[in-house]
Amino acid sequence: MELVILERAEEMTTALTDQKEVDFVPVFARPYPVSIFLELLGLPLDGMEDFIEIEENILQNSGDAQIAAIRQLRDYLAGQIDDRRRNRGDDLISFAVHAEVAGRPLTDDEVMGICVMMFIGGLDTVTSTLGYHFLHLARHPEEQQRLRNHPLLIPGAVEELLRVYNVVTTGRRATRDVEIAGVRIRAGDLLALPTTLASRDPNECPHASEVDLDRESAGHSAFGFGPHRCIGSHLARRELTAALTAWTTRLPMFRLKEATIPRSSGSGVIALESLPLVFL
């Protein structure tokens, strides 16, 4: 899909060539990766705003609003799953519906679980990541110019930006009593584990909280680890690389709009609410 992804990024940046300023989040960061992923799932693009609202209510709300959104998503996906049982396509929902594991078909609960996870994982994280990557480049014109002058640096820059700007906080439940750094954690306690903390561990790399485009392949936890590693990491890398490539080759230098203080929000996934950029 690499060529398709790059073409989408180029098409969307070309549409901005006459603009003097733009709010990056709603104009590019959201529709670009979401449109690609909806096509992968075989879901209609004209439902994008509804899908985004459902996903935001699940990840950024709690209580009744979150429960209602989960039910809404479950009911919608149930209809899509039933449709794929009758009309198999080449999309990811069809793949889940007709897949086998160890010689047996997936159960209904397994199919629903996979589809829910793909929906939530594909509609938010790349959008959020793009926001922080472009905020960094808007604030550091020298690094932005360097990527323009040396596009071969872009894949490595994506890895370094992923390392510093992780957006996911995973949840775990303690299985036993333990004390860490003077804090007592009891079995059953729920823990919030921001992946960005591991990626900024000074024991793993020097000046770990700084972006260094020349850093030699420092490890990061932006895509999780172990059995929880993100299955969409390969797609995400290509989307991020294509976006940086398109913006640095097809559009002029950009900076953060004057007097703008970007706000972050979220829980499981943190994101910028908006990112007003001005072209120079």
Side-chain angles (χ1 to χ4, degrees):
M1 291 188 62
E2 199 156 16
L3 183 59
V4 172
I5 293 169
L6 183 58
E7 288 177 347
R8 180 67 53 82
E10 291 176 343
E11 170 190 325
M12 294 185 68
T13 50
T14 298
L16 302 176
T17 52
D18 294 330
Q19 303 295 316
K20 301 211 181 298
E21 61 180 73
V22 63
D23 188 343
F24 179 76
V25 172
V27 171
F28 186 88
R30 184 175 294 136
Y32 162 61
V34 170
S35 64
I36 293 169
F37 201 74
L38 288 179
E39 290 178 358
L40 273 174
L41 288 177
L43 298 179
L45 293 182
D46 58 10
M48 181 185 299
E49 292 304 318
D50 292 334
F51 297 143
I52 290 172
E53 182 179 0
I54 292 172
E55 178 270 339
E56 287 180 346
N57 281 326
I58 292 175
L59 290 179
Q60 299 180 18
N61 280 327
S62 59
D64 291 344
Q66 184 184 58
I67 293 171
I70 292 172
R71 287 174 174 163
Q72 184 180 2
L73 174 59
R74 179 199 61 195
D75 293 345
Y76 177 80
L77 288 176
Q80 293 295 315
I81 290 168
D82 287 343
D83 175 72
R84 300 311 193 283
R85 293 194 191 283
R86 298 187 302 271
N87 306 293
R88 182 172 184 171
D90 59 359
D91 54 86
L92 288 180
I93 293 179
S94 292
F95 177 81
V97 167
H98 296 280
E100 293 187 353
V101 175
R104 67 164 180 85
L106 298 177
T107 67
D108 290 345
D109 284 346
E110 288 169 340
V111 172
M112 178 62 73
I114 288 171
C115 290
V116 167
M117 185 59 67
M118 288 193 298
F119 182 97
I120 294 175
L123 266 63
D124 185 78
T125 48
V126 175
T127 292
S128 302
T129 300
L130 280 167
Y132 290 107
H133 287 197
F134 275 75
L135 173 60
H136 178 87
L137 294 176
R139 285 174 166 169
H140 296 84
E142 72 288 351
E143 294 181 3
Q144 184 186 152
Q145 186 61 61
R146 196 168 170 215
L147 295 182
R148 293 174 181 274
N149 295 341
H150 306 284
L152 292 179
L153 291 175
I154 290 177
V158 166
E159 294 302 312
E160 176 67 354
L161 290 167
L162 280 167
R163 185 188 67 79
V164 175
Y165 298 105
N166 288 13
V167 298
V168 175
T169 296
T170 62
R172 297 288 184 269
R173 188 183 297 276
T175 59
R176 59 184 173 84
D177 292 350
V178 65
E179 185 172 308
I180 300 176
V183 177
R184 185 160 182 76
I185 300 170
R186 291 178 170 79
D189 283 352
L190 285 174
L191 308 177
L193 308 175
T195 55
T196 188
L197 298 181
S199 293
R200 296 187 182 202
D201 184 350
N203 295 317
E204 291 295 320
C205 59
H207 50 275
S209 291
E210 299 176 13
V211 171
D212 181 356
L213 298 185
D214 295 315
R215 196 184 300 276
E216 291 291 333
S217 63
H220 62 74
S221 57
F223 296 119
F225 26 76
H228 297 280
R229 182 170 175 78
C230 174
I231 198 172
S233 60
H234 309 294
L235 175 65
R237 281 190 169 99
R238 280 155 179 78
E239 290 175 336
L240 294 168
T241 299
L244 280 181
T245 299
W247 273 72
T248 54
T249 57
R250 292 176 170 264
L251 294 171
M253 290 281 292
F254 54 87
R255 62 168 173 78
L256 191 62
K257 188 175 181 178
E258 293 289 346
T260 295
I261 302 177
R263 291 184 54 192
S264 297
S265 63
S267 54
V269 178
I270 192 170
L272 293 175
E273 296 177 359
S274 68
L275 181 60
L277 299 178
V278 175
F279 293 112
L280 306 180

